[in-house]
Amino acid sequence: MSLDGYAGAETVGLVMADKLGYFDDAGLNVWIGRPAIPSSTVYYVATRMDEFGITRLPRVPIARENGLPVVAVGSVIQEPTAAMIWLKDSGVRTVADLKGETIGLPEVPYLKELLGVVLEDAGLTLTEVTVQPVGYRMVPALLKGEVDAIFGGSPNIEGAVLASRGAEPVVKRVQDLGVPDYEELVVITREDRAAADPEAIGAFMSAVKRGTAAAVKHPRAAATLIEKSAEADPQATRGEIEAQLKATLPLLSRTGRLDPGKAGGLLDWMREQKMIERTVPVSEVFGREGGGITATPPGT
């Protein structure tokens, strides 16, 4: 399966499930990798290069509009973590102050559209800023002054790293900038796989649930496993990993279940903002029975 970034605090449930043998216990042979470009995960899953992937929920309806048959089958991060982040000493006080400035984005296509919505709410347009793709280099780009702000990073990851390095990040979460509540990170698979093998989906999510519980109970052990992971950020220090975990553990989904109400509100909002062209039913994004396939198997 493909992550959408480095193995770390936000995907610690999967790291723990892998390293502690929970996927093996579920009868699953799971390999976890990091794509060269964060946006590649959806493509890998849609084209059968991977059976599962981690992505941000707004990407799912956009992918489906583009003909990619992916569905969300489980929740990893249960609330929005995307944010606009700048440094306190930058002179920026509000989003409106970013007029004429450079904003760094990870290479995730829909985030540019989302940025446009956030800027419009502040009285700006995309043409009034410079958008700079920075991939996995969001923190270095901001600290080195290559960009004046980053968008799409999160307070619990980039924000935690910046603070641990002595910077003073100013964080404006998207839910405070007019974006509705939604589940940030979700597990995706192909639509046909979800329909044909719901037992495997349930087993996968049960393993992730066990991994998440283990991380919550043993955060220091979780930090050690992240630190040793070949897919983790090679520049992250032990202190930064622990800071990210502390900020992220409260955000992790304990059940792995998707929330149809949150998703419905997000889909309606995305249609209103013209991020998608048509009204998308929740059942189409979640797969069969509106996401019921994520139910945890009995006895787990």
Side-chain angles (χ1 to χ4, degrees):
M1 73 166 297
S2 286
L3 305 177
D4 77 330
Y6 290 118
E10 292 191 327
T11 51
V12 67
L14 289 101
V15 172
M16 297 290 275
D18 179 33
K19 302 302 183 183
L20 297 180
Y22 297 156
F23 288 128
D24 293 336
D25 292 346
L28 301 172
N29 181 18
V30 176
W31 170 87
I32 296 176
R34 172 178 59 87
I37 301 173
S39 61
S40 299
T41 298
V42 171
Y43 174 78
Y44 290 163
V45 173
T47 58
R48 302 175 185 269
M49 294 175 67
D50 283 313
E51 291 298 316
F52 295 98
I54 298 293
T55 195
R56 302 172 188 236
L57 182 57
R59 288 211 66 204
V60 179
I62 293 173
R64 293 188 64 86
E65 279 204 341
N66 290 323
L68 300 179
V70 296
V71 290
V73 294
S75 175
V76 177
I77 297 289
Q78 60 187 354
E79 64 181 65
T81 58
M84 183 82 80
I85 303 175
W86 59 79
L87 300 180
K88 186 177 180 180
D89 62 3
S90 65
V92 176
R93 295 293 176 264
T94 68
V95 173
D97 293 333
L98 290 168
K99 182 176 181 179
E101 306 291 0
T102 299
I103 301 174
L105 294 179
E107 295 177 62
V108 178
Y110 89 91
L111 282 174
K112 186 174 182 179
E113 297 179 71
L114 185 59
L115 172 61
V117 174
V118 168
L119 291 174
E120 183 178 357
D121 191 61
L124 301 176
T125 67
L126 283 171
T127 62
E128 294 177 288
V129 301
T130 298
V131 176
Q132 177 66 48
V134 294
Y136 292 111
R137 298 185 61 257
M138 299 186 78
V139 168
L142 187 59
L143 289 176
K144 292 179 180 179
E146 298 171 16
V147 298
D148 301 290
I150 54 176
F151 182 73
S154 53
N156 53 299
I157 302 298
E158 287 79 11
V161 171
L162 288 165
S164 71
R165 295 187 184 182
E168 294 183 86
V170 176
V171 177
K172 300 294 183 181
R173 303 178 304 167
V174 292
Q175 56 267 53
D176 298 326
L177 298 173
V179 181
D181 191 15
Y182 65 92
E183 290 165 300
E184 186 74 55
L185 288 187
V186 295
V187 177
I188 59 170
T189 191
R190 293 186 312 279
E191 185 175 23
D192 60 346
R193 174 67 189 275
D197 198 358
E199 292 79 12
I201 308 299
F204 183 93
M205 291 309 304
S206 289
V208 175
K209 178 182 174 182
R210 288 183 68 192
T212 300
V216 171
K217 188 174 182 179
H218 304 290
R220 291 184 62 82
T224 297
L225 291 181
I226 291 172
E227 191 175 24
K228 293 180 177 180
S229 172
E231 303 303 323
D233 181 354
Q235 304 302 318
T237 67
R238 174 63 182 236
E240 290 170 355
I241 292 171
E242 290 181 349
Q244 290 174 333
L245 274 172
K246 182 178 180 180
T248 302
L249 290 178
L251 309 177
L252 297 176
S253 173
R254 301 302 197 265
T255 67
R257 294 178 183 270
L258 294 158
D259 186 326
K262 282 185 180 181
L266 174 67
L267 293 171
D268 290 343
W269 181 83
M270 290 178 69
R271 174 66 180 86
E272 291 170 3
Q273 301 299 326
K274 298 181 170 51
M275 294 179 67
I276 52 178
E277 295 181 359
R278 63 183 179 87
T279 300
V280 179
V282 172
S283 59
E284 183 177 318
V285 172
F286 281 5
R288 194 176 67 182
E289 298 178 4
I293 53 176
T294 64
T296 303
T300 62

